[in-house]
């Protein structure tokens, strides 16, 4: 059974870079037609897609975050990562990783990790 | 970008009631629409994709319909465990966009 688990610092200072990793078990991130995404949810608010990386390494990012976001994959560790630069308090959220296929609905989610941006 | 709206933003209904939530896209998205259920403090779970296809393990009291710009999620007989916020999501093309959510409570 495919499982995803986010990890990373729970507290990041303003203007610094948020870095999270999603470890994948029960399947390979290189498997054909698999896409791996990041979604966030500010406290008490709705869901926002951040971006996705495909099994072949192609990336797509939300236009509003594109200038600050990098998603990468490490096939040797079967994990993928999110970097969000120049963070502000508005980036405080629960960050989820998830899997989707070439049909971009999100079938498997990680448990989420809360990241607070504060000095 | 295509914007997604949902109505109502919240509702309260009795156990056994039929509940309908509406999702509207600002442009046509064919049937590239999914619905998610997020219980309080929990991870979102996929309910429906392709507007009307029930995800594995989802109770049959949930159903979806629509195409183009107008979609509905129906709970045929509301149960206490259905208390949650429901989100629609379009996926015809990037960027993935979610609706603002509809919070469902028991009266």
């Amino acid at each position: 059974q495919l499982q995803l688990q986010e990890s990373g610092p729970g507290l990041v200072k303003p203007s610094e870079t948020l870095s999270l990793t999603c470890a994948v078990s029960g399947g390979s991130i290189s498997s054909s037609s698999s896409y791996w995404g990041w979604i966030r949810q500010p406290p008490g608010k709705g869901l926002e897609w951040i971006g996705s990386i495909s099994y072949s390494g192609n990336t797509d990012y939300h236009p509003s975050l594109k200038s600050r976001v990098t998603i990468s994959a490490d096939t040797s560790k079967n994990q993928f990562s999110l970097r969000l630069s120049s963070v502000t308090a508005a980036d405080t959220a629960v960050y989820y990783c998830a899997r989707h296929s070439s049909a971009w609905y999100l079938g498997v989610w990680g448990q989420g990790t809360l990241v607070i941006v504060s000095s | 970008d295509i914007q997604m709206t949902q109505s109502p933003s919240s509702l309260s209904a009795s156990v056994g009631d039929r509940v309908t939530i509406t999702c509207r896209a600002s442009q046509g998205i064919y049937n590239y629409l999914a619905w998610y259920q997020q219980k309080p403090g929990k991870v979102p779970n996929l309910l429906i994709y392709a507007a009307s296809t029930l995800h594995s393990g989802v109770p049959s009291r949930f159903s979806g319909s629509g195409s183009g710009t107008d979609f509905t999620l129906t709970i045929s007989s509301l149960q206490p465990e259905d208390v949650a916020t429901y989100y629609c999501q379009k996926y015809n093309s990037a960027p993935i966009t979610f609706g603002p959510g509809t919070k469902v409570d028991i009266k």
Side-chain angles (χ1 to χ4, degrees):
Chain A
Q1 182 180 358
L2 188 68
Q3 292 186 320
L4 285 68
Q5 180 65 59
E6 306 88 349
S7 62
L11 181 64
V12 180
K13 289 182 169 55
S15 80
E16 295 189 344
T17 296
L18 179 160
S19 295
L20 296 174
T21 296
C22 181
V24 177
S25 58
S28 170
I29 65 168
S30 300
S31 64
S32 182
S33 80
S34 286
Y35 292 69
W36 309 93
W38 289 97
I39 303 93
R40 69 181 182 178
Q41 185 171 35
K45 297 189 178 181
L47 300 165
E48 179 181 39
W49 173 72
I50 299 169
S52 297
I53 187 166
S54 74
Y55 61 98
S56 60
N58 294 324
T59 54
D60 279 282
Y61 302 130
H62 196 289
S64 69
L65 298 169
K66 190 172 185 177
S67 63
R68 299 195 290 133
V69 172
T70 302
I71 296 175
S72 59
D74 186 338
T75 55
S76 67
K77 295 182 178 179
N78 211 37
Q79 63 187 31
F80 61 105
S81 299
L82 168 71
R83 288 174 57 86
L84 180 66
S85 64
S86 304
V87 297
T88 70
D91 295 309
T92 292
V94 175
Y95 285 76
Y96 297 100
C97 58
R99 179 202 176 272
H100 58 92
S101 68
S102 54
W104 287 33
Y105 54 85
L106 302 151
V108 181
W109 296 63
Q111 288 302 302
T113 186
L114 175 62
V115 178
I116 296 172
V117 178
S118 175
S119 55
Chain B
D1 292 349
I2 297 175
Q3 304 303 313
M4 306 300 293
T5 57
Q6 287 182 236
S7 61
S9 57
S10 66
L11 68 88
S12 186
S14 299
V15 172
D17 281 354
R18 183 182 184 89
V19 169
T20 299
I21 299 168
T22 297
C23 175
R24 178 164 290 172
S26 60
Q27 299 175 38
I29 58 171
Y30 302 96
N31 70 335
Y32 294 106
L33 186 98
W35 289 97
Y36 299 85
Q37 176 193 64
Q38 186 177 32
K39 296 183 179 181
K42 300 298 185 181
V43 178
N45 282 317
L46 177 67
L47 291 177
I48 287 168
Y49 60 92
S52 60
T53 302
L54 217 59
H55 185 53
S56 176
V58 174
S60 59
R61 63 181 180 275
F62 291 93
S63 64
S65 65
S67 67
T69 59
D70 295 317
F71 303 86
T72 59
L73 172 69
T74 300
I75 308 173
S76 61
S77 177
L78 186 68
Q79 300 301 305
E81 60 266 33
D82 300 334
V83 169
T85 299
Y86 294 84
Y87 296 94
C88 62
Q89 175 229 326
K90 71 93 174 171
Y91 60 92
N92 60 311
S93 63
I96 289 174
T97 306
F98 294 90
T102 296
K103 187 174 182 180
V104 175
D105 284 328
I106 299 291
K107 192 181 295 182

